[in-house]
């Protein structure tokens, strides 16, 4: 029996309760969680913006220690530190064959599995494969990556989603080059990681935009050279900061139609806008045919930062060890499992960066 945060139904409050977790079967690993980040995607799962089978244990950004391995697992052993990988690639589908492992058609197939049972015997599903909002979890071996040397386990949890997503959005989706100008919309956990990634990429001007004035210090510490409180004048203010041209790259980390549209309008002619935020089907963004032709901008979606976690985790670790990437600065609150609902409320209110569950 382990304690976990269970989503009993879409739109229902999380329940902190005990669950029956089995021993790992063939090809599986049991992990004792050290820390798990509270991501906006977890909120999107709980309110139905993204769909997963329920009841489920949410949480997908985590790190911990292997406590047991199943038959056939030979490269991991009890005591090993690992980072959870919530979107493992199958290596067989069309996207994987193209090398676009972040678009793997089977990445989330494990979410439909029954991986544990509630205290009353109810079948439980692992939200986004890994069920990190629990003291321990059992996952396929494909869902764990070895902890890079020299990275504290608590901090390493952030590598599993926020940092991979923010870093990848800058380096792989938007392909920011040294000297370019960048605007980042939304200064939550992913936004803060995106700001750091833009700084690492050598961006000259980095504009952070958020609805909250209180986030300015966080944004500037992450690398922002300018900070704007979001308004109907945001695009005009960004153009004023960039010689009336607009930024070369805008990264939207919110997932709202008005923010996506503003990010688009904030980029220069021929610029690139990358959308990282996950919005609902009701968030409709419109463009007219003439402006698409005239501005020549590129608008692209971005899944998991267009990253290959197995390839990119060591790269991120190098940045951490060299002091270029500060994982701890993304965290504005450390909580217990019971604090997750309040962390959801803070996200809805636009407060803070990343909340981190520490076990």
């Amino acid at each position: 029996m382990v304690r976990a945060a269970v989503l009993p139904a879409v739109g229902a409050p999380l329940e902190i309760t005990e669950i029956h977790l089995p021993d790992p079967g063939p090809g599986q690993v049991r992990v004792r969680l050290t820390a798990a980040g509270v991501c906006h995607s977890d909120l999107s799962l709980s309110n139905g913006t993204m769909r997963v089978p329920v009841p489920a244990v949410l949480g997908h950004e985590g790190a911990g220690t292997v406590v047991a391995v199943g038959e056939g697992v030979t490269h991991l052993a009890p005591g090993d530190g690992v980072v959870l990988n919530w979107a493992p690639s199958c290596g067989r589908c069309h996207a994987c064959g193209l090398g676009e492992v972040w678009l793997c058609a089977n990445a989330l197939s494990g979410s439909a599995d029954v991986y544990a049972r509630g205290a009353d015997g109810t079948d439980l599903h692992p939200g986004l494969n890994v069920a990190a909002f629990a003291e321990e979890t059992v996952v396929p071996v494909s869902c764990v990556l070895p902890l890079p040397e020299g990275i504290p386990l608590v901090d390493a949890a952030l590598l599993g989603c926020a940092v991979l997503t923010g870093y990848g959005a800058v380096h792989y989706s938007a392909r920011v080059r040294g000297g370019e100008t960048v605007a980042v919309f939304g200064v939550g956990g992913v936004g803060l990681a995106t700001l750091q990634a833009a700084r690492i990429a050598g961006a000259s001007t980095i504009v952070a935009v958020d609805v909250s004035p209180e986030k300015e210090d966080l944004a500037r510490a992450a690398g922002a050279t300018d900070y704007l409180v979001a308004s109907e004048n945001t695009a005009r203010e960004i153009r004023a900061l960039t010689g009336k041209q607009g930024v070369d790259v805008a990264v939207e980390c919110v997932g709202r139609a008005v923010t996506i549209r503003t990010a688009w309008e904030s980029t220069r002619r021929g610029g690139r806008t990358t959308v990282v935020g996950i919005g609902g089907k009701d968030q409709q963004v419109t463009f007219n045919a003439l402006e698409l032709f005239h501005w020549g901008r590129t608008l692209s979606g971005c899944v998991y930062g267009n990253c290959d976690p197995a390839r990119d985790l060591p790269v991120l670790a190098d940045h951490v060890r060299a002091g270029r990437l500060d994982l701890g600065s993304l965290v504005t609150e450390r909580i217990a499992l019971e604090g997750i609902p309040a962390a959801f409320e803070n996200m809805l209110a636009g407060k803070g960066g990343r909340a981190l569950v520490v076990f």
Side-chain angles (χ1 to χ4, degrees):
M1 299 287 287
V2 300
R3 295 173 70 248
V6 176
L7 177 69
V10 173
L14 290 181
E15 298 177 355
I16 311 303
T17 184
E18 290 192 330
I19 66 172
H20 293 279
L21 196 65
D23 293 330
Q28 293 184 323
V29 179
R30 182 163 177 153
V31 177
R32 179 178 297 118
L33 272 296
T34 299
V38 182
C39 179
H40 205 280
S41 297
D42 298 308
L43 177 60
S44 296
L45 292 170
S46 73
N47 64 25
T49 299
M50 298 169 62
R51 307 293 290 187
V52 292
V54 290
V57 176
L58 301 184
H60 62 281
E61 180 183 87
T65 303
V66 174
V67 294
V69 299
E71 180 182 349
V73 178
T74 58
H75 69 286
L76 291 171
D80 289 348
V82 292
V83 177
L84 298 180
N85 175 17
W86 62 270
S89 56
C90 70
R92 303 181 303 275
C93 70
H94 182 67
C96 287
L98 294 173
E100 298 174 350
V101 298
W102 53 92
L103 299 179
C104 174
N106 301 306
L108 297 180
S109 60
S111 295
D113 295 342
V114 173
Y115 95 112
R117 301 193 187 280
D120 60 356
T122 303
D123 291 345
L124 296 176
H125 302 280
L128 293 186
N129 288 326
V130 297
F133 289 166
E135 293 170 331
E136 296 186 11
T137 188
V138 173
V139 297
V141 69
S142 59
C143 286
V144 295
L145 297 167
L147 177 72
E149 183 178 351
I151 308 300
L153 261 176
V154 171
D155 291 345
L158 301 162
L159 295 173
C161 183
V163 180
L164 275 171
T165 299
Y167 182 87
V170 167
H171 289 268
Y172 299 130
S173 180
R175 299 182 183 275
V176 175
R177 300 179 290 265
E180 289 193 310
T181 55
V182 176
V184 178
F185 290 77
V187 185
V190 173
L192 289 169
T194 303
L195 289 168
Q196 291 201 43
R199 174 176 46 75
I200 290 170
S204 57
T205 297
I206 305 173
V207 185
V209 182
D210 197 274
V211 297
S212 172
E214 289 75 24
K215 292 186 180 182
E216 180 170 0
D217 289 345
L218 278 174
R220 289 189 180 276
T225 58
D226 299 272
Y227 188 84
L228 298 176
V229 177
S231 73
E232 61 183 14
N233 297 317
T234 296
R236 187 178 300 110
E237 290 175 311
I238 288 176
R239 287 194 293 273
L241 291 170
T242 54
K244 299 184 180 180
Q245 296 300 310
V247 289
D248 297 301
V249 171
V251 182
E252 199 272 1
C253 303
V254 181
R256 295 183 64 231
V258 65
T259 316
I260 294 169
R261 179 73 209 194
T262 302
W264 162 270
E265 293 175 354
S266 299
T267 58
R268 64 169 174 82
R269 196 175 187 189
R272 289 104 66 200
T273 301
T274 289
V275 179
V276 175
I278 301 173
K281 293 180 180 179
D282 61 324
Q283 296 294 311
Q284 298 291 317
V285 188
T286 60
F287 307 91
N288 67 61
L290 181 60
E291 69 176 318
L292 291 173
F293 162 76
H294 173 76
W295 290 104
R297 296 164 172 151
T298 300
L299 177 68
S300 62
C302 179
V303 178
Y304 207 1
N306 294 9
C307 275
D308 178 347
R311 176 199 65 196
D312 295 316
L313 199 62
V315 175
L316 295 176
D318 283 343
H319 286 305
V320 173
R321 288 190 291 262
R324 293 183 292 268
L325 182 59
D326 182 1
L327 299 178
S329 66
L330 305 182
V331 179
T332 53
E333 187 179 20
R334 295 174 186 261
I335 61 176
L337 279 173
E338 291 80 2
I340 296 174
F344 281 178
E345 292 299 321
N346 285 337
M347 278 193 288
L348 285 171
K351 296 179 180 178
R354 200 50 132 211
L356 191 67
V357 180
V358 180
F359 294 92

